[in-house]
Amino acid sequence: MSMDRLSRLLSDDGTPRIGFGGDYNPEQWDPSVWAEDVALMKEAGVNLVSVGIFSWALLEPTEGVYEFGWLDDVLELLHNAGIRVDLANASASPPPWLSHAYPESLPVTRSGVRLGYGSRQAFCASSADYRRAAAALTRKIVDRYASHPAVVMWHVHNEYGCHNQPCYCEVSGRAFQVWLAAKYGTIDAVNAAWGTAFWSQHYSSFREITPPRQSGASVNTCQVLDFARFSSDELLDCFRAEAAIIRDGSSHPVTTNFMGFSMGLDKPIDYWKWSEEMDIVSNDHYLIAADPRGYQELAMTADFLRGLAGGEPWMLMEHSTSAVNWQPRNRAKAPGEMLRNTMQHVARGADAALFFQWRASVAGTEKFHSAMLPHGGVSTARWREVVELGRSLQAISEVVGSRVTPPSVAIIHDTDARWGNELSDHPSVDVDVIAETRRWHSALLSTGVTSDIRRSIDEVSRYDVVIVPVQYLITQDGIDNLTGYVEQGGALIVTYFSGIVDEDDHLHLGSYPGAFAELLGVSMEEFFPLLAEEQVELTRFGFGRVFSEYGTVTTAEVLAEYAGGATAGSPAVTRRSFGTGVAYYVGTSLDRAGMLELLEQVGGGGRIVSAPGASDDVEIVSRSAGDRSWVFVINHGTQAAEVAIVGVELLSGRTVDGSLRVEAGQVAVVRVDAS
Ligand code: GAL
């Protein structure tokens, strides 16, 4: 809802527009540059910029002394040009004075090293000093700018948890004890949940508990898991406190920018929980230059964001026009790649597409990061592409407010299941939730099938097929929900290393896959993970990688066995009818051909309807509203594509009367009216 409202606020006459712009850091430049910035923003069609994200040290140069003059001038310039502002509360980068005045506010690593300032996000989430200072700054900014006509939304902090968490300091340790006391009530309950009878870890009081600091051997996994949950909650408390101050003084939507799938156990943020606190769900996405099919990961991330937004439109707060600065080899994007990337996000539900950043920096660690306005200025191909992108977004702005056409397939992704799988001492380091999720997502993508990403406890009855990749940890509620889904007619696919533990990382006893064994009708006894480059032949569906098992079926029918190797004869792919539905088990990581063959079997009878013309290179996604839909055809390949469709192609304005040709690397967006 707020996203719809925001899109209306982006134009003077209130007609919906796709948000387009980026992080604007004018404080890095002499004020004489600002007028040119604003003029060029107009030329590019920029309608929204994020301002002040890293400005704390300039806005409050010494504690309690504020200097807002420069920001007043910047907002005035933007307002006069009709450019709207996503104003930051600037809490992301505490200034040096804060670290000097309150040295305990600096975060501490797992091995006890207190980090320095000199970069950004140099604070401990539990630090009362940081929290007090961030709240005071937020209050000042809100008091001053809440009714500024340029400001249309609020940007709290920036990418929470990117650089400073988890923190293992004493202050965090005490906060962890309080968090545990609230969760468990008694120390006995902690001992039971953490299985502390193992290795003599029994605790007599909450005061004995520390963060899971570096130790001689692997640390208690449930302690690690709870510490991840605690760390996410500590930062969420910071967000809540700052957002509450903003909401007290302003009715504009509040967001903070997420980081897609980046938040594993090493940077734990539970976005499912966090998204409930957002007025607008927003995300930052960066391609990995070394990934030749990075657009598949982009598509999966965008689908995740739509899930976090509950299916509503969401906002792409940052992506890059070209290279970044933080990968080993930072390559420029190919011509047309930026347009394809942006259109992928919009096709998958984004109603705004912004970049980091507006003007490429002259100094600092990000000086080699691309920007909308490159070092070379306006006589560059990148600038011309940026201007062209602004025009393209304008041409398709009628999609604003529409929803992605409801998918018939959902993929389950739980934060706890991912973090749990990343705990130490597992059968194989190659079992990777994100990699396996991507295999399934990409297989569907290659047939033009869009999937939603949902949690195991979400209502999934409207999906014809639900895929559960590497659900290592599952709660009883999750099992009950997915069992009920099958019983009432759904088709469920569960992969290897699922159902293994409960929320305390205690095994679901019995045969594997633990909590899923009965529903799937299989009984596995031992794991036999494959070596890094090893593959095992199956009697059907090609080859398996990563994982295999010894075992048998109880009530399931065997669709494929391991054809050779140590697990020869054990079931690899099975099917069990249950209630009016069907549950499949896939005990290994199927290759693409095998996955598609299985999906064809599961999706028979219209459960999965592919889009003709889609392929590994040609992405087809649609959004719809009422009787109208918009079909995005994004050609990532080197050959022209042909798609059968009737409608109006919005980027060119041309009528398509049956066959659409999309040249290599190009994008088409076709409006289709149901007649
Ligand atoms: C993001 C961050 C931006 C910028 C960008 C560079 O993580 O929010 O401030 O650093 O990365 O890719």
Side-chain angles (χ1 to χ4, degrees):
M1 280 309 148
S2 289
M3 195 66 228
D4 293 355
R5 203 180 91 213
L6 177 71
S7 71
R8 258 175 223 107
L9 287 171
L10 294 179
S11 59
D12 289 327
D13 59 5
T15 39
R17 290 178 72 184
I18 295 177
F20 179 56
D23 283 15
Y24 180 37
N25 299 308
E27 66 272 33
Q28 295 177 15
W29 296 89
D30 188 88
S32 61
V33 174
W34 299 349
E36 184 195 47
D37 280 335
V38 170
L40 291 176
M41 284 178 193
K42 292 301 286 178
E43 187 179 326
V46 165
N47 52 35
L48 181 64
V49 289
S50 304
V51 179
I53 297 174
F54 299 108
S55 303
W56 190 342
L58 293 182
L59 295 175
E60 189 183 4
T62 52
E63 187 165 9
V65 176
Y66 298 92
E67 286 183 8
F68 288 114
W70 67 270
L71 187 53
D72 292 350
D73 293 347
V74 167
L75 294 192
E76 199 52 32
L77 268 174
L78 290 165
H79 175 59
N80 291 339
I83 295 166
R84 310 301 199 248
V85 173
D86 161 40
L87 188 62
N89 71 332
S91 66
S93 201
W97 62 253
L98 191 126
S99 311
H100 281 287
Y102 310 104
E104 280 204 350
S105 69
L106 287 165
V108 171
T109 66
R110 193 168 165 260
S111 49
V113 175
R114 192 174 288 280
L115 298 178
Y117 55 94
S119 65
R120 62 179 171 183
Q121 257 179 13
F123 69 94
C124 154
S126 306
S127 162
D129 296 316
Y130 167 78
R131 289 184 179 203
R132 189 185 59 250
L137 176 67
T138 304
R139 212 164 277 119
K140 283 282 173 196
I141 291 178
V142 173
D143 284 352
R144 192 171 185 96
Y145 298 112
S147 50
H148 194 291
V151 176
V152 292
M153 66 180 287
W154 296 98
H155 188 295
V156 178
H157 201 82
N158 192 68
E159 292 189 343
Y160 273 99
C162 187
H163 308 290
N164 63 340
Q165 78 116 312
C167 173
Y168 294 80
C169 75
E170 287 299 317
V171 174
S172 300
R174 282 194 295 280
F176 185 38
Q177 293 165 358
V178 171
W179 184 91
L180 289 168
K183 175 172 177 180
Y184 291 105
T186 66
I187 195 67
D188 284 348
V190 177
N191 281 312
W194 288 13
T196 57
F198 177 76
W199 279 0
S200 182
Q201 292 171 6
H202 184 86
Y203 293 97
S204 304
S205 83
F206 284 99
R207 282 190 305 280
E208 289 179 359
I209 297 180
T210 61
R213 298 191 176 118
Q214 179 101 47
S215 189
S218 304
V219 175
N220 184 313
T221 52
C222 190
Q223 181 181 357
V224 172
L225 191 54
D226 264 344
F227 193 64
R229 294 164 174 150
F230 155 79
S231 300
S232 175
D233 283 355
E234 283 297 272
L235 280 174
L236 186 54
D237 276 354
C238 294
F239 171 83
R240 282 192 184 121
E242 293 167 35
I245 293 168
I246 294 170
R247 288 179 176 132
D248 203 33
S250 165
S251 57
H252 291 320
V254 176
T255 191
T256 189
N257 40 351
F258 292 170
M259 282 175 283
F261 285 110
S262 305
M263 309 318 280
L265 196 57
D266 57 334
K267 291 180 181 179
I269 298 278
D270 180 355
Y271 284 145
W272 288 114
K273 188 168 183 181
W274 279 62
S275 58
E276 287 164 16
E277 309 275 338
M278 302 297 135
D279 297 328
I280 290 175
V281 168
S282 66
N283 192 49
D284 297 350
H285 184 267
Y286 291 94
L287 288 174
I288 299 299
D291 181 346
R293 292 199 181 273
Y295 56 84
Q296 295 175 335
E297 190 275 334
L298 187 163
M300 180 173 78
T301 303
D303 288 346
F304 179 37
L305 261 293
R306 189 176 63 255
L308 294 174
E312 302 279 316
W314 51 280
M315 174 170 187
L316 178 65
M317 186 65 83
E318 293 178 21
H319 63 323
S320 68
T321 60
S322 191
V324 300
N325 61 295
W326 43 265
Q327 294 173 18
R329 290 163 204 87
N330 297 299
R331 292 226 238 190
K333 285 187 180 175
E337 192 176 357
M338 174 183 70
L339 171 76
R340 296 196 297 278
N341 296 161
T342 305
M343 288 299 184
Q344 283 190 276
H345 288 290
V346 175
R348 291 173 187 277
D351 270 2
L354 280 62
F355 292 94
F356 177 83
Q357 61 177 331
W358 162 250
R359 185 187 275 272
S361 294
V362 67
T365 58
E366 291 180 333
K367 59 185 171 298
F368 295 120
H369 197 292
S370 60
M372 299 176 83
L373 184 59
H375 291 140
V378 294
S379 40
T380 55
R382 184 60 54 201
W383 170 253
R384 288 191 290 277
E385 280 200 36
V386 165
V387 174
E388 188 54 38
L389 177 60
R391 270 195 221 116
S392 301
L393 291 174
Q394 181 69 39
I396 65 162
S397 58
E398 64 185 54
V399 306
V400 159
S402 65
R403 305 291 185 265
V404 167
T405 307
S408 65
V409 180
I411 299 180
I412 300 298
H413 178 81
D414 286 356
T415 306
D416 265 0
R418 175 187 180 179
W419 291 352
N421 182 63
E422 291 175 6
L423 292 167
S424 67
D425 303 271
H426 280 188
S428 170
V429 295
D430 298 324
V431 176
D432 180 329
V433 172
I434 303 301
E436 187 62 25
T437 302
R438 175 167 164 177
R439 285 180 203 115
W440 289 94
H441 188 275
S442 302
L444 290 161
L445 178 68
S446 72
T447 65
V449 174
T450 303
S451 22
D452 275 347
I453 297 195
R454 307 297 305 273
R455 292 174 301 180
S456 62
I457 53 167
D458 287 338
E459 166 63 48
V460 287
S461 57
R462 75 173 182 80
Y463 298 101
D464 292 327
V465 176
V466 171
I467 302 172
V468 184
V470 189
Q471 184 79 22
Y472 165 73
L473 180 157
I474 187 134
T475 59
Q476 195 55 48
D477 286 348
I479 279 290
D480 292 346
N481 186 40
L482 296 176
T483 303
Y485 165 73
V486 178
E487 200 169 11
Q488 285 151 34
L492 186 76
I493 304 174
V494 178
T495 83
Y496 60 96
F497 214 49
S498 292
I500 305 295
V501 298
D502 65 13
E503 60 267 44
D504 295 330
D505 199 37
H506 290 210
L507 282 166
H508 286 291
L509 287 177
S511 52
Y512 306 124
F516 284 110
E518 193 185 333
L519 171 64
L520 298 169
V522 301
S523 170
M524 297 297 160
E525 293 178 26
E526 286 194 277
F527 305 130
F528 195 85
L530 302 175
L531 302 180
E533 300 305 324
E534 194 181 7
Q535 58 177 24
V536 57
E537 192 172 357
L538 312 178
T539 54
R540 199 182 149 197
F541 306 117
F543 290 87
R545 292 190 175 77
V546 181
F547 216 70
S548 66
E549 296 161 321
Y550 300 107
T552 187
V553 288
T554 50
T555 52
E557 155 200 1
V558 177
L559 300 182
E561 293 174 352
Y562 297 101
T567 54
S570 283
V573 183
T574 66
R575 174 187 195 279
R576 181 191 173 213
S577 297
F578 175 67
T580 51
V582 56
Y584 293 81
Y585 180 55
V586 184
T588 185
S589 184
L590 293 179
D591 61 21
R592 170 62 68 80
M595 216 171 244
L596 287 174
E597 191 185 339
L598 177 64
L599 283 170
E600 209 173 305
Q601 168 163 352
V602 177
R607 274 190 197 266
I608 302 180
V609 181
S610 54
S615 70
D616 253 332
D617 288 335
V618 181
E619 179 176 352
I620 303 182
V621 196
S622 76
R623 290 178 65 153
S624 48
D627 283 350
R628 183 166 272 192
S629 61
W630 294 268
V631 179
F632 290 69
V633 182
I634 303 164
N635 187 349
H636 301 283
T638 53
Q639 308 289 322
E642 297 281 345
V643 177
I645 195 163
V646 174
V648 177
E649 201 287 307
L650 298 177
L651 298 175
S652 61
R654 280 202 301 268
T655 300
V656 184
D657 53 11
S659 176
L660 171 76
R661 183 178 168 91
V662 185
E663 300 299 334
Q666 298 296 306
V667 177
V669 182
V670 181
R671 179 208 298 141
V672 179
D673 284 306
S675 47

